[in-house]
Amino acid sequence: MAFTRQTLFTATLCSGLGLLLASPLWAWDGVVDKQTFEMDSFTTQGGKTIPNVTVGWEAYGELNNARDNVILITHFFSGTSHAAGRYDPDGEPTGYWDAIIGPGKPLDTDEYYIISSDTLVNLGANDPKVTTTGPASINPDTDEPWGMDFPVVTIRDFVEVQRELLESQGIESLHAVMGASMGALQAIEWASAYPDRVERLISVIGGGVADPWLLATLSAWAAPIRLDANWNEGNYYDGEPPTEGLKEALKLVTLNANHWQWANETFNRDWADEERDPAQDINARYAIEQTLDDIAAARAATSDANHLLHLVRANQTFMAGHGDSLEGGLAAIEAPTLMLYSESDLVFAPQGVRRTAELIEADGTDVTIETLEGNRGHLDGVVSIDQTSDTLREFLQ
């Protein structure tokens, strides 16, 4: 199926807490109330203290009296807490997993309390709908942005902030934790670090460790920022930001998250401008080039370059259990596990996902692994998630 450039552009971009029992007539209407969680300070796994930590969060559905109907959604690299619903009561749903979250859907908001938070160093530091603490935040000791003085943070640190958020609402256990890509890393880490709190693990397009292929991929994402003269070793908040480097980085993120089959079927060799032949004009573009540039420019407008570099490092340092042994980290997982992955994934090698499943299963933990079909590669874990609706519904029950 072919898409116009605008259709693809739009589709890619759209990638009160109730403490009482919901009445039988209650149903989530899809309107999201973005909320804020604050901590006076947070100590990272590396031993650094970050004062005044703030992250945004959303919830869909109602928390029951027992506080045991909770599903935590952990977001992907360029994602936010906006997993479902709409901010504008008159608008269309814009959550990245609207297909599976809502009344009567697999993650049924009539039954579950579904919560999602922005991570530390969230990419969308300049997005008005994102609340995060990171390099662009003010360091209270200097009254200046942290820049690259912001401590290195890890996937485990993301989990620990989420744990504090949940405990602030009296939540001690999770019916399930589910996430895609970087969200899968967080979900796996939750199940490894807190096996007594996680009843079910759903890992989507992610594995138990950042293997050498992922290390190199992430390094390539970071490189354009470091090569932009405006980056200035991260000291750009009083001047011109490294926008061009950030755009190129985000273009690579979008390209790697897709697959050559999608590119070839969508664009053929079309020109961006019907009247400008790239064979005749060195500045002319092909349609796929222009589309990736447009997507990257839109994302760069709400993103921060130093945040991207910190996200890269958080993903690079990931190993389940945050220890020295992948086998030990995955053996700690006791929750029944569902792993959804794509055989055409160009970010997380399919072999690595299958190896993760084998290691979780090695000591008798129940593991179900299922492939996602589609031509989007890694991104099928977000845009094609509805094909697993029956599996998800059964697994959560």
Side-chain angles (χ1 to χ4, degrees), residues 17-19 35-41 53-59 63-64 67 70 72 113 115-117 159-174 190 197:
L17 170 65
L19 295 180
Q35 303 186 62
T36 299
F37 172 68
E38 299 179 356
M39 302 171 63
D40 290 337
S41 67
V53 168
T54 307
V55 294
W57 62 279
E58 301 180 7
L63 184 62
N64 64 17
R67 292 175 168 79
V70 182
L72 174 66
Y113 176 69
I115 185 169
S116 175
S117 70
V159 166
E160 293 300 330
V161 172
Q162 291 159 5
R163 179 183 59 78
E164 295 276 2
L165 166 62
L166 294 172
E167 289 180 356
S168 74
Q169 299 180 27
I171 298 167
E172 297 291 338
S173 66
L174 296 171
W190 256 104
R197 296 191 181 201

Side-chain angles (χ1 to χ4, degrees), residues 244-264:
E244 293 308 310
L246 181 57
K247 287 179 186 177
E248 291 301 311
L250 293 170
K251 183 163 68 172
L252 284 174
V253 173
T254 302
L255 180 62
N256 293 159
N258 278 283
H259 191 264
W260 58 261
Q261 184 179 359
W262 157 81
N264 294 348

Side-chain angles (χ1 to χ4, degrees), residues 155 181-190 206-209 214 315 318 348:
I155 297 298
S181 192
M182 186 183 83
L185 308 189
Q186 295 168 73
I188 290 170
E189 188 65 14
W190 256 104
V209 65
L214 183 56
N315 282 264
F318 176 69
F348 283 90

Side-chain angles (χ1 to χ4, degrees), residues 43-330:
T43 301
T44 70
Q45 295 298 300
K48 303 293 185 181
T49 297
I50 306 171
N52 303 340
V53 168
T54 307
V55 294
W57 62 279
E58 301 180 7
Y60 328 110
E62 288 198 349
L63 184 62
N64 64 17
N65 282 344
R67 292 175 168 79
D68 62 359
N69 67 331
V70 182
I71 297 177
L72 174 66
I73 302 295
T74 48
H75 69 69
F76 49 91
F77 185 95
S78 59
T80 73
S81 59
H82 192 47
R86 61 189 187 276
Y87 295 121
D88 181 354
D90 298 322
E92 293 296 318
T94 53
Y96 64 85
W97 267 350
D98 280 309
I100 57 171
I101 298 173
K105 296 178 181 179
L107 278 65
D108 193 341
T109 50
D110 290 340
E111 182 175 358
Y112 303 115
Y113 176 69
I114 300 163
I115 185 169
S116 175
S117 70
D118 298 324
T119 62
L120 292 171
V121 302
N122 188 282
L123 181 62
N126 298 317
D127 184 338
K129 292 296 186 182
V130 170
T131 303
T132 186
T133 297
S137 304
I138 298 299
N139 179 349
D141 293 335
T142 65
D143 288 327
E144 300 287 342
W146 280 91
M148 294 303 281
D149 289 334
F150 193 81
V152 171
V153 290
T154 65
I155 297 298
R156 181 63 171 271
D157 290 318
F158 298 171
V159 166
E160 293 300 330
V161 172
Q162 291 159 5
R163 179 183 59 78
E164 295 276 2
L165 166 62
L166 294 172
E167 289 180 356
S168 74
Q169 299 180 27
I171 298 167
E172 297 291 338
S173 66
L174 296 171
H175 182 77
V177 57
M178 176 180 181
S181 192
M182 186 183 83
L185 308 189
Q186 295 168 73
I188 290 170
E189 188 65 14
W190 256 104
S192 176
Y194 296 105
D196 57 333
R197 296 191 181 201
V198 176
E199 296 178 13
R200 293 166 185 80
L201 163 62
I202 305 174
S203 170
V204 184
I205 53 172
V209 65
D211 61 17
W213 175 255
L214 183 56
L215 294 178
T217 299
L218 290 161
S219 178
W221 293 358
I225 290 172
R226 295 183 179 274
L227 291 173
D228 188 322
N230 287 334
W231 180 59
N232 191 30
E233 299 298 321
N235 299 314
Y236 55 79
Y237 293 105
D238 289 332
E240 191 70 25
T243 303
E244 293 308 310
L246 181 57
K247 287 179 186 177
E248 291 301 311
L250 293 170
K251 183 163 68 172
L252 284 174
V253 173
T254 302
L255 180 62
N256 293 159
N258 278 283
H259 191 264
W260 58 261
Q261 184 179 359
W262 157 81
N264 294 348
E265 291 177 356
T266 303
F267 296 98
N268 199 359
R269 289 177 50 83
D270 296 340
W271 306 343
D273 184 335
E274 294 179 355
E275 298 181 357
R276 297 183 66 184
D277 179 358
Q280 303 294 329
D281 181 350
I282 195 67
N283 293 316
R285 317 295 303 284
Y286 286 96
I288 188 170
E289 294 180 284
Q290 190 64 58
T291 297
L292 291 173
D293 281 344
D294 289 347
I295 293 169
R299 285 182 167 175
T302 58
S303 301
D304 180 83
N306 286 337
H307 279 237
L308 188 146
L309 296 179
H310 274 73
L311 279 172
V312 161
R313 184 49 49 91
N315 282 264
Q316 286 180 318
T317 58
F318 176 69
M319 178 185 289
H322 200 72
D324 298 323
S325 166
L326 176 62
E327 291 79 5
L330 294 176

